[in-house]
Amino acid sequence: MHYRLFFLFRRWFGLVLLGALGGCVEPYAPEVLDAPASYLVVDGFINGNGRTTILLTRTASLAAAGAPAVERGAKLFIADEAGTRYALVERAAGRYVSDSLVLPAARQYQLRIAPATGGATYESALVPLK
């Protein structure tokens, strides 16, 4: 008899707890500042011993459906402090890849980006190779 009461109590308690948790969920809609809806997003790193792959996309509204827009047709280079440049080629939409490189570790490198839409060009800081 005690086992049956315990089972019923446990089942009842579980249903009450589940109902209470479900009733506490409220949607969260953050306030977003008015800002340009199209910042350039750079995803990748300079690989000093192999291929460097960089994915370029654009930011989108939180309410936008689907994947972010890719940045096609940009010109990307890895440049060192001595002025040597290594080009990256667009292999797929928004995905830029270098040849297999072996970069001298004693130099510093930066990524340079010129979007196809023109306007601003972007450069990272010169950083040592890791």
Side-chain angles (χ1 to χ4, degrees):
M1 181 70 176
H2 292 292
Y3 174 74
R4 190 175 188 126
L5 285 174
F6 176 73
F7 178 74
L8 288 173
F9 175 75
R10 190 175 74 174
R11 188 175 212 182
W12 176 81
F13 183 73
L15 289 173
V16 168
L17 183 61
L18 184 63
L21 289 176
C24 294
V25 177
E26 293 181 22
Y28 174 67
E31 293 182 25
V32 179
L33 299 176
D34 290 330
S38 189
Y39 287 113
L40 183 66
V41 178
V42 181
D43 184 11
F45 64 94
I46 297 174
N47 185 355
N49 190 16
R51 293 181 185 270
T52 294
T53 301
I54 305 291
L55 177 64
L56 293 183
T57 56
R58 291 283 179 172
T59 58
S61 168
L62 290 173
V70 295
E71 183 71 18
R72 298 175 191 236
K75 302 291 183 205
L76 276 74
F77 296 95
I78 298 169
D80 66 15
E81 60 199 353
T84 307
R85 295 181 354 163
Y86 308 92
L88 283 79
V89 178
E90 188 172 13
R91 299 281 183 200
R95 187 172 301 276
Y96 299 84
V97 181
S98 73
D99 290 333
S100 187
L101 301 172
V102 178
L103 301 174
R107 294 186 182 162
Q108 293 190 352
Y109 297 89
Q110 70 181 170
L111 183 63
R112 295 181 182 172
I113 302 170
T117 56
T121 58
Y122 304 94
E123 294 180 352
S124 68
L126 281 166
V127 294
L129 195 59
K130 291 187 180 184

